[in-house]
Amino acid sequence: MTGHPTNLFVLTGAGVSAESGLGTFRDRGGIWARFDPMKLATPEAYAADADTVLDFYDHRRRGVVAAEPNAAHRALARAEAWIAARGGRLFLCTQNVDDLHERAGSRAVTHMHGELLKARCCACGSVTPWRADLSRTDRCPACFTLGRMRPDVVWFGEMPMHLDAIEAALAEANLFVAVGTSGAVYPAAGYVRQARALGIPTCEVNLEPSDNAAAFDDARYGPASAVLPRYLAELGL
Ligand code: OAD
């Protein structure tokens, strides 16, 4: 594309947080290579054995709290501010449940798989900021029901969040960039084809070609902390 994008849609995945020390899912030694998602990340698993599911997410939450954003998160925050100052928009859609984009300075982050630093009450549905471990002895701060709090993340078999806003933003974009995502999980994995069908240029930034690599017009390969700032600079951002 010529000139800097005025309406940039960025989709991030676990790869953007990998250099902050948070595990990816499908890489060798990744989270789903070591743990069975059906036993840890489904409503059925929570119903059958809440303690095991909550322990798994407690461990991941502690990792998120201890992690720091890296240069890729910071470059996206700078690009968002730069575009906004010129009347455009960077729509940041992440599959990540960490808060590293926010801590790097991104102002508007759409978490399609929810947020680990929030808890949701299964009884009343209210969502509460939550940094501590979760247990069945916790009460909902809104309705006071005991033992029904869960991480506010999307589990297998559940609908991702904010899909209408995401699709609307995608339709308005003039560049689609996917960063550090395997292209294995839908609906996010389908956005590159949706973008192309709309005539929007697409670029993948990844350590190596993803499952979806053939669907992109353009690509930059290498660690996101090095490659993404360089690519955004190439775009004039
Ligand atoms: P994956 O683990 O499936 O893919 C991570 C991607 O990041 C891979 O394509 C890697 O090549 C790439 N990668 C790894 N390190 C990188 C680095 N330093 N720089 C750039 N790229 C790097 O993670 P996601 O695609 O995010 O959902 O997974 C999508 C969803 O699957 C997750 O949100 C999660 C999982 O099940 C739920 O839990 C609902």
Side-chain angles (χ1 to χ4, degrees), residues 160-203:
M161 300 174 182
H162 316 297
L163 293 182
D164 290 346
I166 292 167
E167 302 231 343
L170 186 56
E172 285 173 8
N174 57 10
L175 177 63
F176 172 88
V177 180
V179 185
T181 180
S182 59
V185 176
Y186 285 81
Y191 291 156
V192 58
R193 288 185 184 79
Q194 267 174 259
R196 287 197 66 165
L198 292 163
I200 301 165
T202 57
C203 182

Side-chain angles (χ1 to χ4, degrees), residues 32-139:
W32 295 152
R34 288 178 289 129
F35 301 102
D36 179 355
M38 294 304 125
K39 295 203 174 109
L40 296 167
T42 65
E44 293 76 17
Y46 179 69
D49 184 357
D51 288 337
T52 298
V53 171
L54 294 178
D55 278 356
F56 171 70
Y57 283 97
D58 286 346
H59 181 76
R60 291 189 55 201
R61 190 183 304 99
R62 286 183 223 137
V64 166
V65 169
E68 294 293 336
N70 66 54
H73 299 105
R74 288 193 293 273
L76 285 169
R78 280 195 306 274
E80 178 193 52
W82 197 94
I83 295 178
R86 286 153 185 83
R89 175 167 79 153
L90 185 156
F91 187 90
L92 180 52
C93 171
T94 188
Q95 297 164 89
N96 298 344
V97 296
D98 65 56
D99 66 342
L100 297 183
H101 284 307
E102 286 89 344
R103 281 200 269 143
S106 286
R107 303 291 293 272
V109 187
T110 300
H111 284 270
M112 66 185 298
H113 290 165
E115 293 173 73
L116 194 45
L117 298 183
K118 291 182 178 169
R120 190 193 325 151
C121 174
C122 299
C124 75
S126 69
V127 173
T128 311
W130 205 281
R131 297 179 71 81
D133 287 353
L134 263 178
S135 88
R136 286 191 296 157
T137 60
D138 289 314
R139 272 183 199 281

Side-chain angles (χ1 to χ4, degrees), residues 204-225:
E204 133 158 311
V205 175
N206 203 303
L207 201 53
E208 57 193 19
S210 72
D211 296 3
N212 248 350
F216 289 86
D217 307 304
D218 196 4
R220 299 289 183 283
Y221 294 119
S225 68

